[in-house]
């Protein structure tokens, strides 16, 4: 004989959960919340750029104002201009102008600085203009223009003006090109990482919104 099922009241049926437990999924943030978070991150990044750019310009001004030999000032000038430019284009141009701060210092400017400022300053200005014209692929061309200008002046300058001996000095060329390579290497790595992060962010946004990412 089969036993009849027990009589269940309505309250018992209400307390009996016949649905399986489903994993709890947190609600997806709204578009307005995502926009506010993006603006907040952008504001912090802008503040970090301002602080970093002005800090590097302050260090550069210190090197230009305090006494020192021209190799130290040349290395600091070229390197800090390229690094400051990574925080904003106008930081780089201000750094080029700060090269003339040595003439306003209470200490006498280093020897040959009157030749270094127009030569290196012009090469730095051309480097920044090319650097701002594209992404990481233009950096080698900017570096070649800067180094080529110094090498060409060092080779042909003494033939035009016998007193123009500093650009042909191996220490001068070695110092300037070393600072150039370090600065452009940092710029290349920073730009490549920035491109990869932006691509990753676009893919994440496409997955969240359900819209397929367009191939570029």
């Amino acid at each position: 004989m089969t036993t009849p099922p027990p009589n269940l009241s309505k309250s018992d049926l209400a307390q009996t959960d016949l649905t399986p437990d489903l994993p709890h999924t947190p609600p997806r943030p709204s578009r307005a919340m995502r926009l506010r978070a993006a603006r907040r991150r952008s504001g912090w990044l802008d503040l970090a750029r301002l602080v970093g750019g002005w800090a590097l310009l302050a260090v550069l001004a210190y090197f230009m104002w305090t006494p020192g030999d021209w190799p130290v000032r040349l290395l600091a000038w070229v390197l800090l201009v390229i690094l400051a430019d990574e925080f904003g284009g106008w930081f780089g141009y201000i750094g080029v102008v700060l090269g003339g701060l040595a003439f306003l210092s209470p200490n006498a400017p280093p020897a040959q600085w009157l030749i270094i400022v127009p030569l290196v300053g012009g090469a730095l200005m051309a480097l920044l203009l090319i650097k701002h014209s594209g992404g990481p692929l233009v950096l080698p061309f900017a570096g070649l223009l800067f180094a080529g200008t110094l090498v060409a002046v060092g080779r042909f300058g003494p033939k035009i003006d016998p007193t123009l001996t500093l650009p042909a000095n191996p220490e001068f060329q070695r110092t300037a090109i070393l600072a150039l390579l370090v600065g452009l290497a940092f710029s290349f790595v920073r730009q490549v990482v920035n491109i990869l992060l932006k691509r990753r962010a676009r893919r994440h946004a496409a997955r969240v919104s359900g819209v397929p990412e367009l191939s570029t």
Side-chain angles (χ1 to χ4, degrees), residues 2-130:
T2 60
T3 59
N7 295 328
L8 298 177
S9 63
K10 291 183 178 180
S11 60
D12 295 334
L13 291 174
Q15 294 176 0
T16 305
D17 188 8
L18 301 178
T19 58
D21 294 336
L22 296 176
H24 176 69
T25 57
R28 182 177 298 176
S30 63
R31 179 178 177 84
M33 294 176 61
R34 293 197 301 268
L35 289 176
R36 284 196 298 269
R39 285 196 294 265
R40 193 178 300 113
R41 288 193 299 269
S42 178
W44 281 111
L45 287 176
D46 291 340
L47 179 61
R49 291 191 187 98
L50 288 174
V51 173
W54 284 116
L56 288 177
L57 290 182
V59 175
L60 176 58
Y62 171 80
F63 276 101
M64 295 298 108
W65 188 260
T66 56
D69 296 332
W70 66 261
V72 177
R73 295 198 185 190
L74 177 61
L75 179 68
W77 190 24
V78 176
L79 178 59
L80 293 178
V81 163
I82 299 175
L83 294 181
D85 184 68
E86 293 299 304
F87 292 90
W90 54 283
F91 283 121
Y93 295 120
I94 293 177
V96 174
V97 176
L98 283 180
L101 187 62
F103 298 115
L104 304 177
S105 172
N107 305 290
Q112 306 289 335
W113 197 250
L114 188 61
I115 298 175
I116 292 176
V117 168
L119 174 60
V120 178
L124 277 174
M125 190 68 69
L127 180 147
L128 294 179
L129 291 175
I130 296 179

Side-chain angles (χ1 to χ4, degrees), residues 197-209:
L197 291 177
K198 287 183 178 179
R199 186 175 301 173
R200 180 181 177 183
R202 286 197 302 266
R203 290 176 179 173
H204 176 72
R207 286 196 301 267
V208 171
S209 62

